[in-house]
Amino acid sequence: MSPLPLDRFLPGVSPMVYGCMGLGGDWDASPVEARHVTQAHRALDAALEAGINFFDHADIYALGKAESAFGRALKERPALRESIFLQSKCGIRFEDAKGPKRFDFSAEWIRASVEGSLRRLGVETLDVLQLHRPDPLMVPEEIAEAFTALRGEGKVRHFGVSNMQRHQLEFLQAALDAPLVANQLELGLHRLEFLEEGVLANQPEGTASNFTPGSLEYCRRHGVQLQAWGCLSQGRFTGRALDDQPALVKATAALVDALAEQYGVSREAIVLAWLRRHPANIQPVIGSTDPARIAASGEALRIRLSREDWYRLYVCARGAELP
């Protein structure tokens, strides 16, 4: 595979990302315990062993405890900071005394979120900060001021977004003096809209695609790293009980099984290799806390699916032949 688009900004960054949402215990006000730190150590070791050196956080994960647990593990192994990349996200606020669940891209909230993440992680700099979900009230010029200040203070090296389409990217980028380096979207065998939007152009079925036309091409043209959250499809194709699943999911899981045997890798590796086969050099974000499943996911780096096997999986997952 050619270098990742993100490699221009973070040389040596891994082709896959470890997503830390599962760390830190329950999403409540209970404290981080030693067992949560141990879990973070195990996840770190499994990810590094699998060839993953990029770790994805968000200020809301486990209400901040995911970052805290990871930060405590990192404090016990400070030399690791020099060999890993850290990304976090901000912009989601849960219901509180001031209002309902909402999105907040105000300069004040962005700064407070970054400083909170740095404190919980115990580091001085985030390699990447992403805006988590589009805020209808966002003012690009205000965001630009916040980004410029944070970069100037050495608190964030690069900026990106999550769950945005091309028009939002273009609108925001026009106000910034540095490129947005990544866009994290839900992509996978269970979420095919990023492919269907193009394949079904000029087809009646295409009207049902919930993916803004040109978003994929915009990211590829402008070197925005596509990252795929939810890419293991919640285990639909890698061993989860399928009694309540539709026939096309069962058929796709069976095909994943057959290809795993053919390529001599895990089922997780096949699911992830399918994403990695796309020429956009998509970066899968692995969210499992199970070291064995993290290791199984790492096997995706060993293989490249043939064009025919890629299409077999795509056609099977979409449940109908291509137009």
Side-chain angles (χ1 to χ4, degrees):
M1 299 258 321
S2 56
L4 296 171
L6 194 56
D7 198 63
R8 292 187 301 139
F9 305 99
L10 301 176
V13 70
S14 57
M16 296 199 297
V17 183
Y18 181 73
C20 298
M21 188 173 72
L23 302 180
D26 295 329
W27 290 48
D28 59 23
S30 60
V32 172
E33 301 175 10
R35 61 191 175 95
H36 300 135
V37 180
T38 298
Q39 180 190 52
H41 278 297
R42 289 173 177 165
L44 260 164
D45 288 337
L48 293 169
E49 182 66 24
I52 299 172
N53 63 11
F54 193 13
F55 296 85
D56 173 73
H57 290 271
D59 56 355
I60 64 167
Y61 290 166
L63 305 187
K65 293 189 297 180
E67 289 180 331
S68 294
F70 191 96
R72 282 174 55 176
L74 200 56
K75 185 177 182 180
E76 295 173 8
R77 302 158 70 180
L80 272 183
R81 181 63 186 99
E82 300 304 314
S83 58
I84 65 174
F85 299 95
L86 293 177
Q87 170 175 282
S88 196
K89 299 183 287 294
C90 71
I92 297 178
R93 300 183 67 172
F94 292 126
E95 181 178 5
D96 56 23
K98 294 183 178 180
K101 180 181 178 181
R102 57 206 183 275
F103 305 142
D104 191 342
F105 287 177
S106 66
E108 180 183 15
W109 186 254
I110 291 172
R111 172 171 288 281
S113 297
V114 168
E115 291 177 348
S117 290
L118 293 175
R119 183 178 63 255
R120 289 187 291 271
L121 289 167
V123 299
E124 296 181 353
T125 306
L126 292 175
D127 296 298
V128 182
L129 173 72
Q130 292 187 345
L131 300 176
H132 207 156
R133 285 193 178 273
D135 175 9
L137 299 181
M138 77 173 179
V139 178
E141 293 77 14
E142 181 179 4
I143 294 170
E145 289 179 9
F147 282 4
T148 298
L150 289 168
R151 186 173 61 249
E153 295 165 14
K155 293 179 178 178
V156 182
R157 295 175 64 193
H158 304 287
F159 299 90
V161 298
S162 182
N163 302 298
M164 282 198 189
Q165 38 97 320
R166 66 163 296 183
H167 303 298
Q168 294 163 324
L169 280 164
E170 288 179 312
F171 182 52
L172 179 57
Q173 183 64 75
L176 303 178
D177 60 5
L180 294 167
V181 303
N183 186 15
Q184 191 173 133
L185 302 167
E186 186 176 13
L187 309 172
L189 281 171
H190 69 298
R191 289 297 304 268
L192 300 171
E193 293 91 344
F194 75 108
L195 302 174
E196 296 287 277
E197 178 273 316
V199 165
L200 295 177
N202 200 38
Q203 299 290 320
E205 304 96 310
T207 59
S209 176
N210 183 28
F211 197 85
T212 303
S215 294
L216 183 68
E217 291 79 8
Y218 176 89
C219 290
R220 292 181 66 182
R221 180 182 178 189
H222 293 278
V224 179
Q225 178 68 59
L226 283 166
Q227 297 174 345
W229 67 267
C231 54
L232 285 173
S233 306
Q234 295 77 49
R236 288 179 181 87
F237 312 116
T238 56
R240 181 173 131 189
L242 298 176
D243 294 343
D244 61 341
Q245 295 296 309
L248 68 87
V249 172
K250 295 176 181 177
T252 305
L255 179 55
V256 168
D257 275 339
L259 290 173
E261 183 174 354
Q262 174 185 326
Y263 282 84
V265 293
S266 66
R267 291 172 292 188
E268 287 85 355
I270 295 297
V271 170
L272 298 174
W274 180 80
L275 268 177
R276 295 192 68 248
R277 179 64 171 82
H278 193 280
N281 272 357
I282 296 168
Q283 241 185 345
V285 181
I286 312 307
S288 176
T289 58
D290 180 355
R293 199 166 187 227
I294 298 170
S297 298
E299 294 179 14
L301 301 178
R302 292 174 16 205
I303 64 169
R304 177 178 168 85
L305 293 181
S306 70
R307 173 179 285 265
E308 291 71 25
D309 288 335
W310 186 90
Y311 268 102
R312 286 188 184 97
L313 282 166
Y314 175 30
V315 172
C316 190
R318 73 193 301 270
E321 70 173 12
L322 292 167

